[in-house]
Amino acid sequence: MESDPVGRRDAAAFAHHAEAGAREGVPAAAMEPLGVATEFLQLADYDIKPGVTSDEGNGDTWPDIRRRILNADILIMGTPIWMGQSSSVCKRALERMDAFLEEKDDEGRMVSYGRVAAVAVVGNEDGAHHVSAELFQALNDVGFTIPANAVTYWVGEAMGSVNFVDLTEIPEVVRSTLDLVARNTAHAARLFKAQPYSGEED
């Protein structure tokens, strides 16, 4: 049976950086059989200014990224692990989404309401659970809903030098977990399309 379209534009926005973007075809391959079109953004390629508003001026490229995020129903935030932390680029994007706290629709809801988020983490050191926990909290704070089992990750051997980008094939456990993330996020997005969060007028 053909899947019903998910998104406002039938699209999921993928925000990745560095190694996390090396396999951009992997999340797309998991989403597309579910009727979800995907768009990949490598945030390191953009000039995202520091700040907590939706437009910091002076060549800031965040407004276009913000538009793409809000035009999608699903956001998958990908990041490598640097010294046990998410990347600085990932943190910059979260910092900019802080503006959503003050941006409301006509019914008093944050502009990000009704969108679901998941996380993808890669690295050759420990920290995937710590990073995903931080991202879950931040994304939820700025209005995204986190579905069940909304993280997929890969970490290499401790003190090793193999990165995700170096793998000749994706481990089955990672692929099957990504399939689960895709199913759960698409399911949650369809639920919100059918019945959005209540607003102040409801």
Side-chain angles (χ1 to χ4, degrees):
M1 183 174 70
E2 185 176 349
S3 299
D4 293 330
V6 174
R8 291 165 180 80
R9 296 185 304 114
D10 188 21
F14 292 87
H16 292 250
H17 166 64
E19 189 191 356
R23 299 279 186 166
E24 64 267 28
V26 177
M31 288 287 187
E32 286 168 1
L34 302 173
V36 182
T38 63
E39 179 180 8
F40 171 76
L41 302 177
Q42 183 158 300
L43 297 186
D45 293 339
Y46 293 82
D47 184 10
I48 303 173
K49 303 295 186 185
V52 292
T53 71
S54 285
D55 190 346
E56 292 291 331
N58 298 318
D60 185 19
T61 57
W62 178 254
D64 181 58
I65 297 169
R66 174 189 179 277
R67 177 186 59 79
R68 296 189 201 188
I69 291 171
L70 295 180
N71 279 344
D73 293 289
I74 300 168
L75 172 66
I76 297 185
M77 196 79 167
T79 181
I81 302 169
W82 297 137
M83 294 180 283
Q85 304 286 322
S86 59
S87 74
S88 61
V89 177
C90 180
K91 291 182 178 182
R92 174 67 56 85
L94 293 171
E95 176 183 275
R96 296 302 300 274
M97 282 190 275
D98 183 78
F100 292 167
L101 295 170
E102 302 299 326
E103 297 173 354
K104 307 293 173 59
D105 66 13
D106 292 340
E107 297 185 36
R109 299 171 297 199
M110 268 191 274
V111 292
S112 49
Y113 266 33
R115 293 162 182 80
V116 299
V119 172
V121 183
V122 295
N124 61 4
E125 56 187 282
D126 195 13
H129 284 173
H130 169 74
V131 168
S132 61
E134 284 195 332
L135 296 188
F136 283 161
Q137 186 275 329
L139 290 165
N140 184 256
D141 257 12
V142 296
F144 290 90
T145 297
I146 311 300
N149 302 115
V151 61
T152 185
Y153 66 88
W154 177 89
V155 289
E157 182 180 7
M159 307 298 287
S161 59
V162 177
N163 294 310
F164 187 66
V165 68
D166 300 322
L167 301 180
T168 57
E169 61 180 341
I170 308 300
E172 178 55 33
V173 66
V174 175
R175 192 175 295 279
S176 62
T177 301
L178 183 55
D179 287 342
L180 176 62
V181 172
R183 291 196 306 273
N184 289 355
T185 53
H187 175 72
R190 289 191 174 96
L191 292 177
F192 283 118
K193 290 296 287 183
Q195 188 169 0
Y197 282 115
S198 298
E200 293 176 351
E201 302 299 322
D202 294 341

